[in-house]
Amino acid sequence: MTQSGENGGPDEVPGVILPARKTGIMARLRNYFLTGLVVAAPIVLTIYVTSWFVELVDTWFVPLVPEAYRPEKYLPFNVYGTGLLIALVLLTFLGALTANIFGRAILNFAERLVERMPIVRSIYGALKQIFETVISSSTPSFREVGLIEYPRKGCYAVVFVVSQGGSIVGQPLGKDLAAVFLPTSPNTITGLLLYVPRDELTILDMTIEEGAKLVVSAGLVEPLPKKIKPV
């Protein structure tokens, strides 16, 4: 609805909301396609990665089962996940075995043998420490997301906090250093281990999952704005 102004030109009536401009059919089809891609891609990739992992575990553990006891022997189709089930049972049994005195004695004997191998002992020791650190529920590692100035002043990088400070690395320097892991985008597995002064580390109010999504998406998927709190 319009009315004539002083100069006779049409003026819009205040308070009147004009209808939105109609989008073309090609634009709507493109939006539908992109929406479908966003919905379907994570589902398809999740199914693909899960299927790949299950098949990989099956190739490792299914050969350990005699053919007479395999489900495929009595069923007209392959049963996926048999190897994964076997792996869970074996790992649980191994954990129960090492929980008693006899099992710990065997484990200590095996570790002493490994310690005599120059290269193998370094690999085994590093992997064992990593798994113990990650799995241990009492370790606060990788439970916070932080922000540091990197690679120069005024440029900031998202990091995963390993320790809030008190690292033995900073003792020769007389500084309270915090250990942080700087992941490479879009891969969060590889990165750099950095030691920064504790007062230069800013903790972000976001979870590890939100920080991982931020890194993997190269900054495209950001969590809801939250208040940043200094250490």
Side-chain angles (χ1 to χ4, degrees), residues 83-100:
L84 183 60
L85 180 60
I86 297 174
L88 293 176
V89 173
L90 291 178
L91 291 176
T92 303
F93 176 76
L94 180 61
L97 181 63
T98 55
N100 55 56

Side-chain angles (χ1 to χ4, degrees), residues 176-220:
D176 186 14
L177 299 181
V180 298
F181 178 73
L182 175 63
T184 55
S185 180
N187 183 13
T188 59
I189 299 178
T190 60
L192 300 175
L193 174 63
L194 303 176
Y195 287 89
V196 298
R198 190 174 184 273
D199 55 358
E200 296 182 6
L201 172 64
T202 301
I203 301 300
L204 299 177
D205 189 12
M206 66 174 62
T207 63
I208 290 295
E209 290 76 13
E210 292 174 338
K213 291 179 182 178
L214 182 64
V215 174
V216 171
S217 65
L220 297 177

Side-chain angles (χ1 to χ4, degrees), residues 79-200:
V79 179
Y80 291 98
T82 304
L84 183 60
L85 180 60
I86 297 174
L88 293 176
V89 173
L90 291 178
L91 291 176
T92 303
F93 176 76
L94 180 61
L97 181 63
T98 55
N100 55 56
I101 299 177
F102 178 73
R104 286 197 298 268
I106 296 177
L107 180 62
N108 293 334
F109 175 75
E111 288 185 343
R112 286 196 297 268
L113 291 179
V114 173
E115 288 177 356
R116 298 179 181 179
M117 304 177 185
I119 299 178
V120 177
R121 66 185 179 187
S122 300
I123 300 175
Y124 173 77
L127 292 177
K128 181 181 178 181
Q129 186 174 5
I130 291 174
F131 275 94
E132 288 179 347
T133 302
V134 173
I135 296 177
S136 177
S137 59
S138 60
T139 304
S141 303
F142 292 91
R143 294 187 180 178
E144 290 181 306
V145 182
L147 203 65
I148 63 171
E149 285 189 292
Y150 183 88
R152 60 175 176 80
K153 288 290 184 180
C155 184
Y156 296 89
V158 176
V159 296
F160 297 113
V161 181
V162 179
S163 67
Q164 283 281 5
S167 174
I168 191 175
V169 177
Q171 291 182 2
L173 302 175
K175 295 183 179 181
D176 186 14
L177 299 181
V180 298
F181 178 73
L182 175 63
T184 55
S185 180
N187 183 13
T188 59
I189 299 178
T190 60
L192 300 175
L193 174 63
L194 303 176
Y195 287 89
V196 298
R198 190 174 184 273
D199 55 358
E200 296 182 6

